[in-house]
């Protein structure tokens, strides 16, 4: 159950990150948020790290912390209407790529009491 929640949170964060990336070219986006998103993208692509990934846990945790802090900071500086518009654009894109389930997923009969 916890793993499923973790995947849902990761999917939502991924969609928000894609919405922020797609909002870079929007004229209504603040310049501070644009710079933050571009800096986070540069950090992710860059081979330089604050803590090298050789130190297993700490190397990965610092990457997660920098990316989540940068995206959260950019999200706070993005106007809500811009973020909502780009979130809906990303959701339409995901629906087109992966489709929506035809009907809600039901619990199998043998698990009911």
């Amino acid at each position: 159950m916890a793993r499923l929640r973790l995947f849902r949170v990761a999917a939502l964060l991924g969609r928000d990150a894609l919405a922020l990336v797609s909002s870079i070219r929007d004229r209504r986006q603040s310049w501070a948020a644009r710079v933050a998103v571009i800096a986070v993208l540069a950090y992710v692509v860059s081979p330089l790290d604050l803590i090298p990934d050789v130190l297993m846990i700490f190397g990965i945790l610092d990457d997660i912390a920098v990316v989540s802090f940068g995206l959260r900071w950019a999200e706070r500086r993005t106007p809500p209407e811009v973020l909502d518009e780009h979130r809906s654009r990303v959701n339409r894109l995901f629906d087109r790529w992966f489709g929506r389930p035809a009907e809600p997923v039901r619990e199998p009969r043998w698990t009911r009491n």
Side-chain angles (χ1 to χ4, degrees):
M1 191 60 118
R3 179 180 281 177
L4 183 61
R5 259 188 258 142
L6 182 64
F7 285 135
R8 285 183 184 163
V9 169
L12 289 175
L13 287 177
R15 287 180 184 214
D16 281 350
L18 286 175
L20 284 170
V21 169
S22 75
S23 71
I24 289 175
R25 296 181 61 190
D26 196 332
R27 291 187 185 273
R28 299 172 292 169
Q29 176 71 288
S30 70
W31 65 271
R34 289 180 189 181
V35 169
V37 171
I38 291 170
V40 166
L41 288 174
Y43 181 78
V44 167
V45 174
S46 167
L48 301 176
D49 263 344
L50 292 177
I51 300 174
D53 290 340
V54 175
L55 304 170
M56 286 295 194
I57 305 265
F58 299 111
I60 294 170
L61 284 179
D62 83 311
D63 294 341
I64 292 171
V66 168
V67 169
S68 63
F69 175 76
L71 291 179
R72 180 76 175 148
W73 193 83
E75 184 180 2
R76 287 182 181 164
R77 277 144 187 83
T78 302
E81 62 275 0
V82 173
L83 197 56
D84 289 340
E85 179 183 325
H86 288 278
R87 277 182 182 150
S88 67
R89 184 180 296 174
V90 167
N91 285 334
R92 284 193 311 266
L93 180 70
F94 271 49
D95 290 343
R96 191 173 68 215
W97 282 354
F98 303 114
R100 284 191 176 258
E103 60 184 63
V105 178
R106 289 181 290 190
E107 195 175 319
R109 237 185 276 161
W110 60 83
T111 60
R112 294 184 194 159
N113 290 333

